[in-house]
Amino acid sequence: ATLELLGVLALLCFIKNMSHAGEKIGENIFQLLAIITILLLPPVFPLFIFIVLALLSEKNQAQQLVHMPMKKHLQWIVTLIAIIAAAVVLGSFYLLLRLYAGEYAFYQSIKAREKNDGRLTYNQQIQAIRWNPYPSKYHYQLSQTSMGIASFIAANPSGTATDSAQKQPSNEDRQQIAQLVQMSINEAKLAIKHSPQDVFTWENLAQIYDGITPVTPDAQKCDIATYQQAIRLYPTNPILRVTL
């Protein structure tokens, strides 16, 4: 997808040339530098073309360069470079696994949300953030989920019924709602922290403040300030101005 046909052919030529070099990997400087370059740099097309041309053009000079032995006192430098390269590759692989695990958990949360399974949606989004705490979309969605669960508990309390036959939230319900609302605000702020120029993250926080303003009048100031910041980022959006 990134190298296209010519890049793939160049890479195959390079691999074939290395396999016919007749030496173990790391016995000469050029091989070692070529391998480290491929491991550390992105797989861009000019990189492979440059390496292949350096190996194949002016064959006699290239062969002399490829088979040029290293001095003994440079062996420890080569060993150090190889260790650093291996550490970078293993570290990159570990980070890649965490990125994949985070995306997979987030995908599972989307499937759970489609099935109206709030608990599984919440748990999978928490898991996604544990694997990778940096994407703002994870925090954005968790803030929405937390607020949705809090609203559901408030609308369906587990407390006892009053004279009007309407259940009142129990102390446990109130505690859960308060924790979920606070978590929703915190996650919305984290989404803003990771994407401060994204107007939707600011609008999301403002909507959360909208929801708690009737029961928390102090949230109104934060609500107004958040909408004002959203308008600064997106001054031509009439909905933000109408809502404010």
PDB file of all heavy atoms in Angstrom, residues 155-176:
ATOM      1  N   ALA A 155     -33.154   7.767  36.186  1.00  0.00           N
ATOM      2  CA  ALA A 155     -34.519   7.539  35.689  1.00  0.00           C
ATOM      3  C   ALA A 155     -35.103   6.227  36.168  1.00  0.00           C
ATOM      4  O   ALA A 155     -36.326   6.040  36.152  1.00  0.00           O
ATOM      5  CB  ALA A 155     -34.523   7.585  34.164  1.00  0.00           C
ATOM      6  N   ASN A 156     -34.246   5.305  36.598  1.00  0.00           N
ATOM      7  CA  ASN A 156     -34.703   3.994  37.073  1.00  0.00           C
ATOM      8  C   ASN A 156     -34.069   3.688  38.425  1.00  0.00           C
ATOM      9  O   ASN A 156     -33.227   2.790  38.536  1.00  0.00           O
ATOM     10  CB  ASN A 156     -34.346   2.905  36.056  1.00  0.00           C
ATOM     11  CG  ASN A 156     -34.974   3.154  34.702  1.00  0.00           C
ATOM     12  OD1 ASN A 156     -36.094   2.770  34.438  1.00  0.00           O
ATOM     13  ND2 ASN A 156     -34.209   3.812  33.824  1.00  0.00           N
ATOM     14  N   PRO A 157     -34.433   4.431  39.449  1.00  0.00           N
ATOM     15  CA  PRO A 157     -33.794   4.233  40.758  1.00  0.00           C
ATOM     16  C   PRO A 157     -34.204   2.915  41.383  1.00  0.00           C
ATOM     17  O   PRO A 157     -35.229   2.332  41.060  1.00  0.00           O
ATOM     18  CB  PRO A 157     -34.307   5.426  41.570  1.00  0.00           C
ATOM     19  CG  PRO A 157     -35.619   5.769  40.944  1.00  0.00           C
ATOM     20  CD  PRO A 157     -35.471   5.467  39.481  1.00  0.00           C
ATOM     21  N   SER A 158     -33.384   2.470  42.304  1.00  0.00           N
ATOM     22  CA  SER A 158     -33.660   1.219  43.012  1.00  0.00           C
ATOM     23  C   SER A 158     -34.188   1.468  44.416  1.00  0.00           C
ATOM     24  O   SER A 158     -34.300   0.544  45.212  1.00  0.00           O
ATOM     25  CB  SER A 158     -32.386   0.371  43.103  1.00  0.00           C
ATOM     26  OG  SER A 158     -31.368   1.087  43.794  1.00  0.00           O
ATOM     27  N   GLY A 159     -34.519   2.729  44.737  1.00  0.00           N
ATOM     28  CA  GLY A 159     -35.003   3.068  46.065  1.00  0.00           C
ATOM     29  C   GLY A 159     -36.455   2.679  46.253  1.00  0.00           C
ATOM     30  O   GLY A 159     -37.098   2.057  45.414  1.00  0.00           O
ATOM     31  N   THR A 160     -36.994   3.078  47.402  1.00  0.00           N
ATOM     32  CA  THR A 160     -38.380   2.743  47.731  1.00  0.00           C
ATOM     33  C   THR A 160     -39.332   3.767  47.146  1.00  0.00           C
ATOM     34  O   THR A 160     -38.957   4.917  46.868  1.00  0.00           O
ATOM     35  CB  THR A 160     -38.545   2.710  49.257  1.00  0.00           C
ATOM     36  OG1 THR A 160     -38.178   3.995  49.786  1.00  0.00           O
ATOM     37  CG2 THR A 160     -37.656   1.633  49.867  1.00  0.00           C
ATOM     38  N   ALA A 161     -40.574   3.361  46.971  1.00  0.00           N
ATOM     39  CA  ALA A 161     -41.584   4.238  46.394  1.00  0.00           C
ATOM     40  C   ALA A 161     -42.132   5.184  47.463  1.00  0.00           C
ATOM     41  O   ALA A 161     -42.283   4.821  48.622  1.00  0.00           O
ATOM     42  CB  ALA A 161     -42.712   3.411  45.802  1.00  0.00           C
ATOM     43  N   THR A 162     -42.458   6.400  47.057  1.00  0.00           N
ATOM     44  CA  THR A 162     -43.072   7.382  47.947  1.00  0.00           C
ATOM     45  C   THR A 162     -44.584   7.309  47.811  1.00  0.00           C
ATOM     46  O   THR A 162     -45.133   6.415  47.161  1.00  0.00           O
ATOM     47  CB  THR A 162     -42.576   8.788  47.589  1.00  0.00           C
ATOM     48  OG1 THR A 162     -42.976   9.086  46.247  1.00  0.00           O
ATOM     49  CG2 THR A 162     -41.053   8.861  47.681  1.00  0.00           C
ATOM     50  N   ASP A 163     -45.259   8.294  48.428  1.00  0.00           N
ATOM     51  CA  ASP A 163     -46.723   8.306  48.354  1.00  0.00           C
ATOM     52  C   ASP A 163     -47.214   8.450  46.924  1.00  0.00           C
ATOM     53  O   ASP A 163     -48.314   8.017  46.589  1.00  0.00           O
ATOM     54  CB  ASP A 163     -47.277   9.451  49.217  1.00  0.00           C
ATOM     55  CG  ASP A 163     -46.959   9.231  50.685  1.00  0.00           C
ATOM     56  OD1 ASP A 163     -46.736   8.053  51.053  1.00  0.00           O
ATOM     57  OD2 ASP A 163     -46.905  10.222  51.438  1.00  0.00           O
ATOM     58  N   SER A 164     -46.435   9.072  46.078  1.00  0.00           N
ATOM     59  CA  SER A 164     -46.839   9.238  44.680  1.00  0.00           C
ATOM     60  C   SER A 164     -46.488   8.024  43.841  1.00  0.00           C
ATOM     61  O   SER A 164     -46.614   8.055  42.621  1.00  0.00           O
ATOM     62  CB  SER A 164     -46.164  10.484  44.086  1.00  0.00           C
ATOM     63  OG  SER A 164     -44.756  10.339  44.136  1.00  0.00           O
ATOM     64  N   ALA A 165     -46.065   6.954  44.496  1.00  0.00           N
ATOM     65  CA  ALA A 165     -45.751   5.680  43.829  1.00  0.00           C
ATOM     66  C   ALA A 165     -44.585   5.805  42.871  1.00  0.00           C
ATOM     67  O   ALA A 165     -44.442   5.015  41.956  1.00  0.00           O
ATOM     68  CB  ALA A 165     -46.968   5.138  43.095  1.00  0.00           C
ATOM     69  N   GLN A 166     -43.737   6.806  43.086  1.00  0.00           N
ATOM     70  CA  GLN A 166     -42.551   6.978  42.257  1.00  0.00           C
ATOM     71  C   GLN A 166     -41.318   6.697  43.094  1.00  0.00           C
ATOM     72  O   GLN A 166     -41.149   7.279  44.167  1.00  0.00           O
ATOM     73  CB  GLN A 166     -42.482   8.395  41.682  1.00  0.00           C
ATOM     74  CG  GLN A 166     -41.298   8.614  40.757  1.00  0.00           C
ATOM     75  CD  GLN A 166     -41.266  10.021  40.197  1.00  0.00           C
ATOM     76  OE1 GLN A 166     -42.111  10.835  40.545  1.00  0.00           O
ATOM     77  NE2 GLN A 166     -40.298  10.299  39.343  1.00  0.00           N
ATOM     78  N   LYS A 167     -40.476   5.828  42.606  1.00  0.00           N
ATOM     79  CA  LYS A 167     -39.284   5.467  43.371  1.00  0.00           C
ATOM     80  C   LYS A 167     -38.321   6.636  43.458  1.00  0.00           C
ATOM     81  O   LYS A 167     -38.167   7.408  42.513  1.00  0.00           O
ATOM     82  CB  LYS A 167     -38.583   4.273  42.723  1.00  0.00           C
ATOM     83  CG  LYS A 167     -39.296   2.945  42.915  1.00  0.00           C
ATOM     84  CD  LYS A 167     -38.460   1.805  42.363  1.00  0.00           C
ATOM     85  CE  LYS A 167     -39.120   0.459  42.637  1.00  0.00           C
ATOM     86  NZ  LYS A 167     -38.286  -0.664  42.142  1.00  0.00           N
ATOM     87  N   GLN A 168     -37.683   6.739  44.592  1.00  0.00           N
ATOM     88  CA  GLN A 168     -36.654   7.746  44.810  1.00  0.00           C
ATOM     89  C   GLN A 168     -35.279   7.069  44.812  1.00  0.00           C
ATOM     90  O   GLN A 168     -35.151   5.936  45.265  1.00  0.00           O
ATOM     91  CB  GLN A 168     -36.880   8.470  46.136  1.00  0.00           C
ATOM     92  CG  GLN A 168     -38.177   9.249  46.201  1.00  0.00           C
ATOM     93  CD  GLN A 168     -38.202  10.391  45.204  1.00  0.00           C
ATOM     94  OE1 GLN A 168     -37.193  11.054  44.982  1.00  0.00           O
ATOM     95  NE2 GLN A 168     -39.361  10.604  44.579  1.00  0.00           N
ATOM     96  N   PRO A 169     -34.267   7.746  44.295  1.00  0.00           N
ATOM     97  CA  PRO A 169     -32.926   7.134  44.290  1.00  0.00           C
ATOM     98  C   PRO A 169     -32.454   6.832  45.705  1.00  0.00           C
ATOM     99  O   PRO A 169     -32.620   7.643  46.617  1.00  0.00           O
ATOM    100  CB  PRO A 169     -32.057   8.212  43.630  1.00  0.00           C
ATOM    101  CG  PRO A 169     -32.995   9.068  42.864  1.00  0.00           C
ATOM    102  CD  PRO A 169     -34.278   9.061  43.636  1.00  0.00           C
ATOM    103  N   SER A 170     -31.885   5.676  45.877  1.00  0.00           N
ATOM    104  CA  SER A 170     -31.316   5.311  47.166  1.00  0.00           C
ATOM    105  C   SER A 170     -29.975   6.006  47.348  1.00  0.00           C
ATOM    106  O   SER A 170     -29.438   6.643  46.424  1.00  0.00           O
ATOM    107  CB  SER A 170     -31.138   3.798  47.242  1.00  0.00           C
ATOM    108  OG  SER A 170     -30.207   3.365  46.252  1.00  0.00           O
ATOM    109  N   ASN A 171     -29.422   5.897  48.538  1.00  0.00           N
ATOM    110  CA  ASN A 171     -28.105   6.491  48.797  1.00  0.00           C
ATOM    111  C   ASN A 171     -27.033   5.893  47.888  1.00  0.00           C
ATOM    112  O   ASN A 171     -26.130   6.592  47.414  1.00  0.00           O
ATOM    113  CB  ASN A 171     -27.721   6.282  50.259  1.00  0.00           C
ATOM    114  CG  ASN A 171     -28.593   7.087  51.198  1.00  0.00           C
ATOM    115  OD1 ASN A 171     -29.118   8.140  50.822  1.00  0.00           O
ATOM    116  ND2 ASN A 171     -28.757   6.603  52.424  1.00  0.00           N
ATOM    117  N   GLU A 172     -27.168   4.602  47.634  1.00  0.00           N
ATOM    118  CA  GLU A 172     -26.214   3.951  46.723  1.00  0.00           C
ATOM    119  C   GLU A 172     -26.358   4.484  45.306  1.00  0.00           C
ATOM    120  O   GLU A 172     -25.365   4.699  44.605  1.00  0.00           O
ATOM    121  CB  GLU A 172     -26.432   2.436  46.742  1.00  0.00           C
ATOM    122  CG  GLU A 172     -25.419   1.679  45.914  1.00  0.00           C
ATOM    123  CD  GLU A 172     -25.629   0.175  45.960  1.00  0.00           C
ATOM    124  OE1 GLU A 172     -26.506  -0.278  46.727  1.00  0.00           O
ATOM    125  OE2 GLU A 172     -24.912  -0.536  45.232  1.00  0.00           O
ATOM    126  N   ASP A 173     -27.622   4.713  44.897  1.00  0.00           N
ATOM    127  CA  ASP A 173     -27.852   5.285  43.565  1.00  0.00           C
ATOM    128  C   ASP A 173     -27.230   6.670  43.460  1.00  0.00           C
ATOM    129  O   ASP A 173     -26.571   7.000  42.456  1.00  0.00           O
ATOM    130  CB  ASP A 173     -29.353   5.373  43.276  1.00  0.00           C
ATOM    131  CG  ASP A 173     -29.978   4.012  43.035  1.00  0.00           C
ATOM    132  OD1 ASP A 173     -29.228   3.083  42.686  1.00  0.00           O
ATOM    133  OD2 ASP A 173     -31.206   3.875  43.213  1.00  0.00           O
ATOM    134  N   ARG A 174     -27.453   7.479  44.472  1.00  0.00           N
ATOM    135  CA  ARG A 174     -26.914   8.850  44.447  1.00  0.00           C
ATOM    136  C   ARG A 174     -25.384   8.834  44.390  1.00  0.00           C
ATOM    137  O   ARG A 174     -24.769   9.640  43.686  1.00  0.00           O
ATOM    138  CB  ARG A 174     -27.395   9.615  45.684  1.00  0.00           C
ATOM    139  CG  ARG A 174     -28.883   9.940  45.682  1.00  0.00           C
ATOM    140  CD  ARG A 174     -29.233  10.909  46.799  1.00  0.00           C
ATOM    141  NE  ARG A 174     -30.643  11.274  46.752  1.00  0.00           N
ATOM    142  CZ  ARG A 174     -31.612  10.660  47.437  1.00  0.00           C
ATOM    143  NH1 ARG A 174     -31.293   9.622  48.230  1.00  0.00           N
ATOM    144  NH2 ARG A 174     -32.854  11.052  47.340  1.00  0.00           N
ATOM    145  N   GLN A 175     -24.795   7.916  45.133  1.00  0.00           N
ATOM    146  CA  GLN A 175     -23.338   7.816  45.121  1.00  0.00           C
ATOM    147  C   GLN A 175     -22.830   7.390  43.746  1.00  0.00           C
ATOM    148  O   GLN A 175     -21.853   7.943  43.225  1.00  0.00           O
ATOM    149  CB  GLN A 175     -22.875   6.837  46.190  1.00  0.00           C
ATOM    150  CG  GLN A 175     -21.360   6.770  46.344  1.00  0.00           C
ATOM    151  CD  GLN A 175     -20.938   5.847  47.472  1.00  0.00           C
ATOM    152  OE1 GLN A 175     -21.767   5.189  48.094  1.00  0.00           O
ATOM    153  NE2 GLN A 175     -19.642   5.778  47.739  1.00  0.00           N
ATOM    154  N   GLN A 176     -23.489   6.422  43.144  1.00  0.00           N
ATOM    155  CA  GLN A 176     -23.101   5.976  41.808  1.00  0.00           C
ATOM    156  C   GLN A 176     -23.262   7.086  40.784  1.00  0.00           C
ATOM    157  O   GLN A 176     -22.388   7.294  39.927  1.00  0.00           O
ATOM    158  CB  GLN A 176     -23.955   4.773  41.398  1.00  0.00           C
ATOM    159  CG  GLN A 176     -23.367   3.433  41.786  1.00  0.00           C
ATOM    160  CD  GLN A 176     -24.105   2.291  41.114  1.00  0.00           C
ATOM    161  OE1 GLN A 176     -25.335   2.290  41.037  1.00  0.00           O
ATOM    162  NE2 GLN A 176     -23.379   1.317  40.635  1.00  0.00           N
TER     163      GLN A 176
END
